[in-house]
Amino acid sequence: MAATASLVPSLATHSPTKMRYVKGLAEYPGLTSIPSAYTYTTTATDHATSDPEECSIPIIDFSLLVSGTPHQRSKIIHDLGKACQDWGFFMVINHGLQESMMKAMLEVCKSFFDLTEEEKQEFEGKHVLDPIRCGTSFNTSVEQVFFWRDFLKVFIHPEFHSPNKPAEFSKISLEYCKKTREVASELLEGISESLGLEACYINKAMNLETGFQILAANLYPPCPQPDHAMGMPPHSDHGLLTVLSQNGIDGLQIQHKGKWIKVNAIPNSFLVNTGDHLEILSNGKYKSVLHRAVVNNNATRISLAIGHGPSLDTIVSPAPELVNIKNHPPAYLGMKYREYVELQQSGQLDGKSCLDRVRVVNTE
Ligand code: OGA
Ligand code: NI
């Protein structure tokens, strides 16, 4: 007989906040429906469009940014600026990371999720600023509805951390994250220039030498009722840029002009979105895009989202060069990045951006 949600063993194990991994739940033999705690309601207007006109996501050829002619480079910088302004999102091709390295990183993250629940227990950090933390959903201590997602979050820069299982995790993630940091740094140079600033402006102002880089590996197992569940609800990312790759299975959607757009990723490309701190730094010129991850009923999706942010001690406010009291007054209050991260990670991912906490409200 096919299992129904009511026959699935209790979700909570030791305490109300200690949830089962969704991986174990999805593997329950014959599961045909999801437990009600995972039922996520979307309205009709929330459905994503596949209209090719609306899905023309910008593509950035990274090789032209780093080794193109001056003419090619300035065209790419212009395109980068436009992508940040109009979309807050772009795909990066020819980024120089070998396919084998991308595969190895996805593989080792899969091996982490394949550890037993007992083995993973060691890495279930308690606090959102614990450098290694795995779990399920987003923040089960405050959520009423759970997301069809397990995760591993690891702080990798300025101090490198790694779970000690699987054994190869440390070596592979160190290399992969170093390379993505280089890509992010080059992109941020181009983005600085696109704002009319010096190429090294963001790197310097955000203290990227000790910038906070975090790896979030996401596992979305097959879900028997994908239209009734959500992998990750609408949210924006806290950093400057997030560089995402995936195991060939799509699921990311971004909000563009009020509509949800499915991202059909070019194989081996990076999916890059601008984060809250690029919006703050650019005084609102570049928008931190809302995005979400949907699930499917046949394939396990793994995504690796690497967040690149200022150093945790940097107090970020709009770049003075982009502020003009008359026409462009500062639109955000300054906040220390560490406090912002803590605020965002301790709350609920409920579609409302944490940016509302620092936005200057015009009371006129
Ligand atoms: C994230 C994220 C989307 C995805 O980890 O912040 O938005 O497609 N992930 O997994
Ligand atoms: Ni995100």
Side-chain angles (χ1 to χ4, degrees):
M1 190 186 88
T4 61
S6 58
L7 295 177
V8 175
S10 162
L11 295 170
T13 49
H14 310 301
S15 70
T17 56
K18 171 82 173 77
M19 289 282 301
R20 281 194 65 169
Y21 288 93
V22 79
K23 178 175 186 286
L25 177 63
E27 285 169 355
Y28 195 76
L31 186 78
T32 54
S33 64
I34 59 172
S36 58
Y38 289 88
T39 306
Y40 183 92
T41 324
T42 39
T43 60
T45 52
D46 273 349
H47 291 298
T49 174
S50 308
D51 180 348
E53 271 285 291
E54 291 170 329
C55 296
S56 53
I57 290 169
I59 297 170
I60 298 294
D61 184 341
F62 187 77
S63 66
L64 297 181
L65 186 67
V66 292
S67 48
T69 62
H71 176 71
Q72 286 169 325
R73 183 175 154 83
S74 54
K75 161 121 187 17
I76 287 292
I77 287 171
H78 172 265
D79 292 352
L80 257 179
K82 207 161 160 32
C84 291
Q85 195 166 356
D86 297 349
W87 287 81
F89 185 83
F90 49 92
M91 284 193 244
V92 174
I93 56 167
N94 298 328
H95 47 62
L97 265 80
Q98 292 198 331
E99 200 180 319
S100 56
M101 183 191 280
M102 298 181 71
K103 288 233 158 72
M105 184 63 195
L106 282 157
E107 241 347 274
V108 82
C109 287
K110 179 178 181 300
S111 305
F112 177 86
F113 290 118
D114 284 340
L115 296 175
T116 63
E117 299 209 358
E118 289 69 37
E119 283 173 306
K120 280 185 275 203
Q121 202 163 0
E122 184 186 334
F123 308 112
E124 290 166 5
K126 307 250 169 328
H127 185 264
V128 293
L129 290 182
D130 285 342
I132 302 176
R133 188 161 64 93
C134 70
T136 192
S137 193
F138 178 73
N139 187 359
T140 53
S141 62
V142 294
E143 288 159 344
Q144 269 95 49
V145 173
F146 302 114
F147 305 114
W148 201 262
R149 165 210 190 218
D150 292 335
F151 67 86
L152 167 65
K153 292 188 186 180
V154 187
F155 295 0
I156 43 204
H157 194 265
E159 227 178 88
F160 177 76
H161 297 269
S162 170
N164 56 5
K165 283 181 216 157
E168 332 75 78
F169 196 100
S170 166
K171 184 166 171 280
I172 296 172
S173 64
L174 180 66
E175 187 64 18
Y176 182 85
C177 295
K178 181 166 167 270
K179 292 272 189 226
T180 54
R181 197 159 64 245
E182 286 164 11
V183 170
S185 170
E186 289 283 354
L187 290 172
L188 287 168
E189 288 192 9
I191 289 172
S192 289
E193 285 192 58
S194 77
L195 287 166
L197 303 166
E198 257 185 289
C200 59
Y201 185 95
I202 295 179
N203 282 273
K204 272 193 198 154
M206 299 292 102
N207 302 307
L208 292 194
E209 226 159 80
T210 50
F212 181 59
Q213 190 188 19
I214 178 170
L215 159 71
N218 303 303
L219 178 86
Y220 306 100
C223 174
Q225 295 178 290
D227 295 338
H228 298 280
M230 184 53 82
M232 226 176 163
H235 67 281
S236 64
D237 294 346
H238 50 71
L240 293 159
L241 285 183
T242 302
V243 177
L244 186 133
S245 61
Q246 60 179 21
N247 64 340
I249 309 288
D250 286 330
L252 177 64
Q253 299 185 343
I254 54 173
Q255 202 173 60
H256 180 62
K257 296 189 178 154
K259 285 190 185 160
W260 286 103
I261 311 277
K262 294 179 190 172
V263 177
N264 297 314
I266 298 173
N268 301 310
S269 63
F270 279 140
L271 311 178
V272 179
N273 65 271
T274 56
D276 294 350
H277 278 74
L278 200 53
E279 179 167 332
I280 297 171
L281 184 90
S282 68
N283 201 27
K285 184 168 186 195
Y286 294 168
K287 294 282 181 300
S288 179
V289 71
L290 277 185
H291 53 286
R292 66 184 184 186
V294 299
V295 292
N296 72 75
N297 60 8
N298 54 61
T300 293
R301 173 165 186 259
I302 296 179
S303 70
L304 307 173
I306 317 243
H308 300 85
S311 81
L312 285 173
D313 288 322
T314 309
I315 298 171
V316 187
S317 47
E321 291 80 351
L322 304 176
V323 170
N324 158 327
I325 297 304
K326 203 151 159 248
N327 301 324
H328 298 284
Y332 307 87
L333 303 170
M335 189 189 269
K336 196 178 264 194
Y337 186 45
R338 178 184 283 107
E339 283 161 24
Y340 193 95
V341 172
E342 211 168 342
L343 204 62
Q344 198 244 18
Q345 295 280 305
S346 320
Q348 290 197 39
L349 277 199
D350 58 1
K352 277 188 77 184
S353 162
C354 195
L355 274 172
D356 293 341
R357 306 287 285 263
V358 292
R359 218 185 294 273
V360 174
V361 182
N362 199 337
T363 49
E364 278 174 51

